[in-house]
Amino acid sequence: MRKFISITALAGASVLALAAPAAAQDAAPQDAAETPAASGVGADIVVTATRRAERLQDVPIAVSAIGGDQLAESGFQRLTDIQYQFSGVQFGTSPNDSGFRLRGVGTAGGFSSSSEQNVGTVVDNVVIPFGNPINSLGDLERVEVLKGPQGTQFGKNASSGVVNITTKKPTFDAIGGKVFASYGELNEVNVNGNINLPLSANSALGVFGFYRRNDGFLYNATLDKDWGGEESYGARAKLLFEPSDTLSIYLIGDYSKIDRTGPGQLWTIARLPSFANPLMAARFGNLASLGIVPGFDNSKSAEEYESYTSEQNYGASLEVNLGLGDYNLTSITAWRRLDEGDQRFAIDGSSVPVFTSQQTGVDQTFLSQELRITSPAGSALEFTSGVYGSRRKVGDDNDFNKSQLRPAAPFNPFIVNISGGQSNTQTRSDSLAAFFDGKFNVSEQFAVIGGLRYQYDWVKSSSFSIIDPAYPPSPPGPPVAGQVNYYEPRPLAEGSTKKGDWSGRFGFQFKPDRDLMLYGTIARGYLGPTVTFSGLTGQKVDVGPQTVRDITFGVKSQLFDRAVTLNANIFFDKYNNLQTSVFNGLEFLTENAGGFEANGFEIEGSWRVSPVFSLNASFTYSDTKFTDYVTACPDVVKSGYTCYLAEDGTTSLVQAAGEPLSGAPKYSATAGADVRLPINDRLTFDSSANFYYRSRVQYAAVQAYTSQPGYGTIGLNAGIGHPDGNWRIGLFARNLLDQRFHSSVIGLPFSDPGGRVNWLTREGRRTLGISAEMRF
C-alpha cells in the first residue's frame, strides 16, 4: 500500500542527573565547571533535553527524574517501582488499569488486539510499544518522567506523557563492573551484574545479566498451593564504537524471560453476590470450609483450575550519530519481539469449574526507524527535525485463544464454547511521521518554543475461529451434561482504518535570572484510530482517534545559593474521544469516551540541608472526570446515576459524566530523606527513607463496590560501605507497615449482581531483606 510521509515535531527530552538525593549526576555541559554542582555548592541538575546538555532548570517541561543506582539501592527491583518515587506516577497491572499513568491518565489496556498506549515508554531512544525490556534495574543510568502530551517529541504513544529510560553506556577508560545480590521475604532473590570491557581506544563492550525470583503470595485453598511466584532472567549486551570525533555507532541487544505460577489474574473474592439464586449458593457456599473470608483483605483464592503464564522479550537497536559540521545526524533502527507462552486460567472465582481458558499466547513484533538532525546549541534557532516510521504486528497464524463456560455448573455442567472454537486475532499497524521542534532565542532572557508533528496511520485487523479439537461441537439439540454446545466457527472478519493528523506545542520561556524560569505551553496530543477484535469472542470495535489539549504554566527555581530546588506547574487537560477500557462482564474491550478532563497542579522540591543530609518531596493534585461517557450499565449502579434503554430497546446504558478515570487518584505525594555520613576514611554509613501516598481510587465508572481506600507506604534502606563505593552491605524494607492494596477491584464475571474480586499485587505485601554490592 502506498504510504504518506507526515510532518511533526519532537524535541529530544532525555533528562537528568540530580546532584541531589532524588537522582544521580549525569554528564555536564561544557561550562559545568562554573555550576554549583561542579563546585560542590548547592544542588544543580544537569539534563540532556532537546538532544543537548542543559540544566534541568532551563528546560520548559514538567519532568521528574531519578538515578538508576538510587532506585536499586532503595530495595526496589522493577522499573514499575518508580511510582513510589514520584507523585503523579502510577503503574497498573490489570487490563482496565494497564501500564504507566501520569496525572491520572494512562493506557487503555484491555484484551483487545491493537490497544495503543497513552503513556509511552522509551528505552535508549527506542519507543517500546509492548512488554518491558527492563526487568532488572542493575544497569540503569536514569529514569525520566515527562508529564503531559509529548507527542511532538515521541509520537502517538505519548499523548499523556513519557517514561524515558537510559541504560549505562560502555566506556573506553578501564575494565570495571558491579555485582549485586539481595534476599528478602517470600524467598525473594535478586542477583545481577555487569562488566565494562574496553576493546580499544575507541570501542568498548558492556554486558549485563540478571536473575530474579520470588515465591507466591496468594494461597489457593482449593489447589493447596501458592500463586504469584515469578522467576525471570535475562541479559543485555552493548557495543559502543567511535571511529572518529564525528562518528559513533551504538549497538544494543537484549533478552529476558519470565515464568509465573498461577494466572495473570490473581483474584480473590471481595464481595459475594446474593445467595437467593441457588446457583450462586452452590458455587460459593463452601468458602467458609476453605478458610476464605470474602473482603478487601482476603488473600486466599478458591479457583480450581491449574494456571500459569510466561513470556519472552527480546530485541536489538542500532544508533548512529554523525557530525555534519555543527549539526548532528542521528539514525536509530530498532526491532523488538514479544513471545507469550501457553497460558491457562479461570476467572470465575469459585471452586466449581465455571469458566476455563487456554491460550497459546499472542506474539508481537515491532520495527522502527528514526532519522533526525539536531542544530548546534547557542544559535538563535535551536531545533531537532526528522522522520519516523514503524510497523507493529500483533498475533500470527499460530496464536489461538479458546474458552469454555459451564453456565449451569454445578447442577448441569454442559459446556458452552464461548470463543467459537479456537479464536485467532491479528493486527498490523503502520505509521509514518515527520517532525520539527525547536526554540527561538529572542533574547538572553526570553525564548519562543514550538513544534509540529504530522503522522499517518494504517491499521488492519482480522479475526476468525476454527473448531477446537479438545472441545468439538455436539449436534444441535438440548444441552447435555459433559457435552459441548453446538457451535459453528466464525468466518474470517476483517476491519481497517487509516487517518492522518497532527500533534504539536507552542509556548514561551522567560528567565529573568539564572535561578528562576517561568514557562507556559499549549500542546495538542493525538492517538490514532484503531480497529480491535477481542482476543476471546472476536467482537469487533471501531475505536476513533483521541486528541488532548494541554495548557501548562510552570516555574522552576533555586534558592539559598541553590541549596533548595523548587519546581511547580499547573495544568489543564481536555480529552476528546478518550480511548479507555470497559469490562462487559466477560472481557475488557477498548472504546471511546466522548469527553474527559484532567486538571490540577504539581509541586516538587529538594533541600540539601548539609553535605550529608538532604530532603525531597513532591505532591500532585489531579482532578479527573468524564464530561461525556455513555457506556454499558453495570450490574450495580452507584447512587446518583440511572440506567436507561438504548434505541434498540434492549441495551442498558448509563451516562457516566462526572465519574473519575479508572485507577486515577486525586492526590498523590512522596517524601524522602537521605543521610550519607562518613565514619572514617574507610567506612561510610548511608540511610534513606521514602513515604508514598495515594488517595482513594475507583476502578469502574458508575459501578458500586469497585473502589479502594487511600493508602500510604514506607520504604527504608540503610547500609555501610567504602566511601568510594567499592562495596556495600545493606538492609531494606518495602511497604514497611504491610499496607494492603490491590491492582484493581472489579466485578466478578459470570455471577449475579454484586459480586466483586480483588486483583492482588506483590507490592501490596511487606518485604524485608538484605543486600550486598561490590564494584571493581
Side-chain angles (χ1 to χ4, degrees):
M1 177 190 298
R2 188 179 177 184
K3 307 288 190 250
F4 299 74
I5 296 184
S6 328
I7 319 182
T8 328
L10 182 161
S14 40
V15 184
L16 187 341
L18 256 187
Q25 188 169 347
D26 192 26
Q30 292 180 356
D31 64 348
E34 302 174 5
T35 68
S39 63
V41 180
D44 209 4
I45 306 171
V46 179
V47 304
T48 51
T50 63
R51 309 300 182 188
R52 59 187 96 247
E54 296 178 286
R55 297 171 64 240
L56 177 59
Q57 301 304 105
D58 295 337
V59 180
I61 298 174
V63 59
S64 304
I66 188 171
D69 288 343
Q70 184 197 353
L71 187 61
E73 288 175 1
S74 65
F76 293 119
Q77 295 188 11
R78 296 176 173 88
L79 173 65
T80 58
D81 292 326
I82 65 172
Q83 64 182 309
Y84 305 115
Q85 302 290 321
F86 304 121
S87 66
V89 179
Q90 289 84 38
F91 185 86
T93 57
S94 61
N96 65 328
D97 183 21
S98 177
F100 284 106
R101 62 172 61 245
L102 306 179
R103 295 174 171 173
V105 185
T107 300
F111 295 134
S112 59
S113 61
S114 56
S115 297
E116 295 283 1
Q117 298 174 327
N118 277 300
V119 176
T121 301
V122 178
V123 178
D124 290 327
N125 286 319
V126 176
V127 174
I128 308 297
F130 50 74
N132 178 15
I134 307 295
N135 281 322
S136 177
L137 305 179
D139 70 336
L140 256 63
E141 181 69 34
R142 61 186 182 267
V143 178
E144 309 153 11
V145 178
L146 287 70
K147 302 173 183 178
Q150 304 294 329
T152 310
Q153 302 174 5
F154 295 100
K156 63 178 180 177
N157 287 339
S159 60
S160 298
V162 168
V163 176
N164 191 27
I165 301 146
T166 302
T167 65
K168 296 179 179 177
K169 275 189 175 183
T171 60
F172 308 141
D173 49 1
I175 296 176
K178 181 184 76 171
V179 177
F180 174 88
S182 69
Y183 179 81
E185 293 180 270
L186 292 178
N187 287 320
E188 178 185 281
V189 175
N190 180 26
V191 179
N192 62 70
N194 61 67
I195 186 170
N196 181 78
L197 297 172
L199 304 179
S200 67
N202 57 6
S203 63
L205 175 68
V207 179
F208 169 76
F210 75 93
Y211 173 82
R212 194 180 70 234
R213 71 167 306 278
N214 64 264
D215 292 342
F217 56 91
L218 184 160
Y219 177 65
N220 186 304
T222 302
L223 299 177
D224 189 25
K225 60 176 55 178
D226 292 327
W227 276 357
E230 293 186 358
E231 182 178 38
S232 62
Y233 56 87
R236 182 180 297 107
K238 293 170 280 191
L239 177 64
L240 178 62
F241 177 44
E242 297 182 353
S244 70
D245 293 339
T246 59
L247 177 64
S248 71
I249 301 171
Y250 190 27
L251 178 64
I252 305 175
D254 68 89
Y255 170 84
S256 62
K257 182 178 182 181
I258 183 169
D259 294 297
R260 303 179 182 91
T261 59
Q265 305 84 10
L266 296 171
W267 289 7
T268 66
I269 299 294
R271 190 177 189 274
L272 286 170
S274 169
F275 279 6
N277 182 349
L279 194 61
M280 298 298 103
R283 290 180 182 175
F284 301 104
N286 69 332
L287 294 186
S289 64
L290 292 172
I292 297 176
V293 179
F296 187 83
D297 294 328
N298 178 19
S299 61
K300 295 181 180 180
S301 170
E303 298 277 10
E304 95 300 337
Y305 200 54
E306 290 281 0
S307 303
Y308 50 80
T309 66
S310 67
E311 66 181 50
Q312 298 180 86
N313 200 320
Y314 44 97
S317 65
L318 175 65
E319 178 178 338
V320 179
N321 285 279
L322 176 64
L324 301 175
D326 293 333
Y327 292 80
N328 187 72
L329 181 66
T330 301
S331 170
I332 302 173
T333 307
W335 173 84
R336 298 213 60 81
R337 182 175 177 88
L338 173 68
D339 288 341
E340 290 184 340
D342 292 343
Q343 305 177 25
R344 287 167 49 97
F345 60 90
I347 56 174
D348 53 77
S350 76
S351 60
V352 177
V354 177
F355 172 91
T356 52
S357 183
Q358 312 82 33
Q359 301 182 6
T360 58
V362 178
D363 299 334
Q364 301 190 47
T365 59
F366 183 71
L367 179 65
S368 64
Q369 173 64 54
E370 182 174 15
L371 187 66
R372 65 172 182 259
I373 189 165
T374 305
S375 70
S379 56
L381 177 63
E382 301 176 359
F383 70 87
T384 298
S385 182
V387 294
Y388 178 86
S390 68
R391 168 168 290 182
R392 177 185 179 186
K393 291 184 178 181
V394 181
D396 57 38
D397 291 339
N398 299 314
D399 293 343
F400 287 97
N401 298 329
K402 51 183 181 178
S403 300
Q404 306 82 40
L405 179 65
R406 298 161 179 82
F411 299 131
N412 184 3
F414 69 91
I415 302 170
V416 177
N417 193 313
I418 60 176
S419 55
Q422 297 185 136
S423 176
N424 179 280
T425 301
Q426 301 181 45
T427 302
R428 192 184 82 183
S429 303
D430 295 322
S431 182
L432 285 174
F435 56 88
F436 177 92
D437 189 49
K439 176 173 67 174
F440 182 73
N441 297 299
V442 179
S443 67
E444 291 185 0
Q445 289 78 34
F446 186 80
V448 176
I449 56 179
L452 179 71
R453 184 185 191 100
Y454 188 86
Q455 69 180 49
Y456 205 97
D457 299 306
W458 299 259
V459 180
K460 285 186 175 182
S461 190
S462 65
S463 180
F464 67 91
S465 70
I466 60 176
I467 288 178
D468 182 359
Y471 295 92
S474 299
V480 178
Q483 292 189 2
V484 182
N485 69 305
Y486 174 76
Y487 67 86
E488 293 184 356
R490 289 183 285 104
L492 177 66
E494 295 181 314
S496 65
T497 185
K498 58 183 179 180
K499 184 176 175 56
D501 212 328
W502 65 276
S503 56
R505 65 172 184 149
F506 178 79
F508 71 90
Q509 172 184 345
F510 177 54
K511 285 185 61 64
D513 181 81
R514 174 179 169 83
D515 295 331
L516 176 64
M517 182 184 74
L518 306 174
Y519 66 94
T521 58
I522 180 169
R524 184 182 196 259
Y526 171 75
L527 184 58
T530 189
V531 178
T532 74
F533 288 93
S534 78
L536 179 59
T537 63
Q539 179 178 341
K540 178 186 174 184
V541 182
D542 292 307
V543 183
Q546 166 189 300
T547 60
V548 55
R549 181 224 61 201
D550 167 79
I551 298 175
T552 297
F553 294 99
V555 57
K556 296 188 176 184
S557 63
Q558 289 184 305
L559 310 169
F560 308 115
D561 200 18
R562 301 184 195 140
V564 173
T565 298
L566 182 63
N567 298 334
N569 70 82
I570 183 171
F571 59 89
F572 307 92
D573 293 344
K574 183 176 182 180
Y575 289 77
N576 290 317
N577 288 328
L578 176 75
Q579 295 181 7
T580 188
S581 182
V582 62
F583 185 61
N584 64 5
L586 177 64
E587 58 186 336
F588 289 94
L589 298 174
T590 303
E591 64 178 35
N592 290 109
F596 175 79
E597 291 181 351
N599 302 319
F601 63 89
E602 299 167 313
I603 303 174
E604 61 180 21
S606 63
W607 179 19
R608 186 177 291 266
V609 182
S610 73
V612 298
F613 179 52
S614 56
L615 301 169
N616 62 84
S618 61
F619 177 82
T620 296
Y621 169 82
S622 182
D623 184 15
T624 66
K625 65 178 180 181
F626 292 106
T627 56
D628 178 24
Y629 184 24
V630 176
T631 186
C633 183
D635 60 350
V636 181
V637 184
K638 286 176 58 177
S639 175
Y641 292 87
T642 303
C643 296
Y644 63 93
L645 289 180
E647 293 181 357
D648 60 11
T650 58
T651 305
S652 183
L653 301 174
V654 64
Q655 171 59 263
E659 284 287 89
L661 190 64
S662 168
K666 183 171 288 188
Y667 312 101
S668 60
T670 66
D674 285 83
V675 175
R676 299 188 180 275
L677 185 64
I679 299 175
N680 54 41
D681 59 354
R682 294 187 177 183
L683 290 176
T684 295
F685 169 78
D686 68 86
S687 178
S688 64
N690 175 268
F691 173 73
Y692 170 84
Y693 175 75
R694 175 177 175 172
S695 66
R696 178 186 179 274
V697 295
Q698 180 176 305
Y699 288 107
V702 192
Q703 189 173 64
Y705 317 121
T706 59
S707 62
Q708 178 167 221
Y711 63 88
T713 66
I714 297 175
L716 299 176
N717 183 48
I720 190 170
H722 197 277
D724 62 8
N726 282 347
W727 62 270
R728 181 183 183 273
I729 298 175
L731 303 173
F732 65 87
R734 302 195 303 268
N735 194 356
L736 177 66
L737 301 182
D738 199 24
Q739 174 67 58
R740 296 304 172 94
F741 58 91
H742 307 310
S743 285
S744 187
V745 180
I746 62 174
L748 172 62
F750 318 116
S751 76
D752 285 0
R756 299 291 183 265
V757 291
N758 307 308
W759 197 313
L760 271 60
T761 174
R762 172 76 171 88
E763 286 73 30
R765 299 290 185 276
R766 174 174 51 213
T767 302
L768 304 177
I770 59 174
S771 65
E773 179 180 331
M774 182 181 70
R775 299 175 186 263
F776 59 90

